[in-house]
Amino acid sequence: MGRCVFRASGRNVKAKVWRVDPSEPDAKSIEEAASILRKGGVVAFPTETVYGLGAVYHMRDAVIRVFKVKRRPPDNPLILHISSFSQIYTLASEVPEAVHRLAEKFWPGPLTVVLPKTSRVPYEVTGGLEKVAVRMPAHNVALRLIEAVGDPIAAPSANLSGRPSPTTAQHVLADLGDEIDGVLDAGETLYGVESTVIDLTADPPVLLRPGAVPLEEVEKVLGKVCVPAFARGLGEAERALAPGTRYRHYSPRAQLVLVELKDYSDLSKLVDRVKRLVAENAGRGLRVGVLCTDETREHYSGLGAVVLSLGSRRDPFGIARRLYSSFREMDSLGVDVIVAEGVDERGLGLTIMNRMRKASTKRVVV
């Protein structure tokens, strides 16, 4: 892909956009974006999970701007992104052996570890906590940007707080285009959901947020990991211990009604309840959407609802990857209420259900 720099069009967008190849981004675009960051600017960039909104971690004013641009509560910590393992020693005062084992297995990749912070990490980054969240992204654009900056980059997802995380640069521009300095556009992200976050300051380790690395894979390295209710999307942590542990997240503008089964071996019960909810909301004069799976899609034809399939239940990776973009598509279609099917919590299903529960305005358990 050739280098292309332009000013995005749309709602008074001022952000510069660099279109880059995801595998081999051109050095000039990376350096231009890095230069903005080094001067205290904020730039969105792709990772393998979602697009992040970056600032140099030790530049307090830039970090505060990230919070303001996103309308993010100041106690909601940011993840620090590194390009080499040696950078972790600048950020964490203790690096236990478990980090080395996890890094060998998952880095670069969508796993974040929470460790005791050093004095060099500002409290603005950690939401006032004595802990810091760190990961090494598996995306050449992100890695080369961090390398060019010469420092770790603090970055939450590049969307307005509470909205679905962005999986394309277009999503970033729709939410933040008139308030950020630029975005590196490398196309759609791979996983479509955020990283898994593990707190290694606790014994046993605690899952703070399920993500693109299934819990079962982490436990193969660490052994038993504690899973609090908030990590399943059931309630909130008393304090924001990591991104996604407190406050409503990932939500479409439409109301989201999530229908769950205690046992997903019989999907007929799920279909029946979804149909009833569609009829009830349509009867109130609302435009209704259904987020379903390939296994059930045919059952919703003829209801007058907008029907989108997230994919097959046999492919949770695909469902997770399509989730946020499907939320945004429903909004673009003018839907008032989305009735969404739940999935089994095994593997990536835990991540999918965490995101759906966090996004929902109502849960129905059958």
Side-chain angles (χ1 to χ4, degrees):
M1 182 185 297
R3 177 173 176 270
C4 180
V5 179
F6 64 96
R7 292 286 180 181
S9 60
R11 55 179 192 93
N12 300 316
V13 170
K14 73 171 185 179
K16 178 178 283 191
V17 180
W18 300 271
R19 286 183 174 163
V20 294
D21 186 285
S23 299
E24 292 294 334
D26 67 276
K28 185 173 183 181
S29 294
I30 293 294
E31 177 52 35
E32 287 179 5
S35 177
I36 290 173
L37 289 171
R38 289 194 298 267
K39 293 174 183 176
V42 295
V43 172
F45 62 96
T47 74
E48 76 280 24
T49 57
V50 298
Y51 274 73
L53 180 60
V56 177
Y57 85 98
H58 58 74
M59 292 185 170
R60 285 181 167 84
D61 288 345
V63 170
I64 290 169
R65 184 179 167 200
V66 166
F67 280 89
K68 288 182 176 179
V69 164
K70 281 180 57 69
R71 322 301 195 253
R72 183 182 181 93
D75 66 341
N76 197 2
L78 307 182
I79 293 173
L80 297 187
H81 295 70
I82 61 176
S83 58
S84 67
F85 190 87
S86 62
Q87 289 176 317
I88 200 169
Y89 296 103
T90 301
L91 310 174
S93 60
E94 299 176 27
V95 182
E97 186 269 339
V99 177
H100 294 268
R101 287 188 281 123
L102 289 169
E104 183 177 357
K105 174 75 172 178
F106 298 113
W107 280 4
L111 180 74
T112 295
V113 294
V114 175
L115 302 167
K117 83 176 193 72
T118 65
S119 60
R120 298 182 67 172
V121 180
Y123 286 111
E124 287 84 354
V125 168
T126 66
L129 297 175
E130 295 292 343
K131 304 176 183 182
V132 63
V134 184
R135 87 177 187 96
M136 185 188 297
H139 196 294
N140 280 347
V141 175
L143 292 172
R144 293 188 186 181
L145 180 65
I146 299 164
E147 290 168 359
V149 168
D151 275 309
I153 294 177
S157 56
N159 56 285
L160 288 171
S161 287
R163 294 277 291 142
S165 297
T167 58
T168 68
Q170 289 68 40
H171 296 162
V172 177
L173 294 170
D175 277 11
L176 306 177
D178 56 354
E179 297 192 56
I180 64 176
D181 299 314
V183 55
L184 286 157
D185 179 359
E188 187 176 8
T189 61
L190 175 61
Y191 289 100
V193 290
E194 299 84 353
S195 63
T196 301
V197 181
I198 302 291
D199 186 354
L200 293 177
T201 69
D203 186 15
V206 177
L207 176 69
L208 297 181
R209 180 182 71 186
V213 176
L215 173 63
E216 294 87 344
E217 294 302 308
V218 176
E219 289 188 320
K220 289 178 182 178
V221 176
L222 292 182
K224 186 64 177 176
V225 173
C226 178
V227 182
F230 65 76
R232 297 178 58 213
L234 301 173
E236 297 181 349
E238 292 184 4
R239 184 171 184 180
L241 302 172
T245 60
R246 197 174 179 212
Y247 307 113
R248 193 175 178 213
H249 284 76
Y250 322 120
S251 304
R253 293 190 176 92
Q255 296 180 52
L256 177 66
V257 180
L258 176 60
V259 183
E260 304 181 30
L261 290 181
K262 296 175 182 176
D263 178 1
Y264 284 90
S265 62
D266 181 5
L267 296 180
S268 63
K269 295 178 182 178
L270 185 68
V271 170
D272 288 345
R273 183 55 63 92
V274 170
K275 284 184 173 180
R276 282 171 51 188
L277 288 165
V278 170
E280 290 170 10
N281 283 282
R284 294 164 49 204
L286 299 174
R287 182 168 168 80
V288 184
V290 175
L291 270 185
C292 61
T293 52
D294 290 352
E295 288 80 0
T296 58
R297 181 173 186 166
E298 63 180 14
H299 296 286
Y300 303 123
S301 61
L303 298 181
V306 175
V307 180
L308 295 179
S309 175
L310 292 169
S312 172
R313 290 174 179 272
R314 297 186 298 274
D315 179 22
F317 177 90
I319 291 176
R321 189 180 189 197
R322 298 181 190 98
L323 185 62
Y324 293 148
S325 60
S326 295
F327 284 172
R328 287 180 179 267
E329 184 174 355
M330 283 289 190
D331 280 343
S332 71
L333 294 170
V335 168
D336 300 306
V337 178
I338 303 168
V339 183
E341 296 180 349
V343 299
D344 191 288
E345 286 190 42
R346 289 175 296 180
L348 280 176
L350 176 62
T351 301
I352 296 163
M353 290 304 291
N354 168 281
R355 303 308 192 267
M356 284 190 162
R357 287 167 176 160
K358 289 282 188 181
S360 67
T361 50
K362 180 180 179 180
R363 292 174 57 228
V364 177
V365 181
V366 181

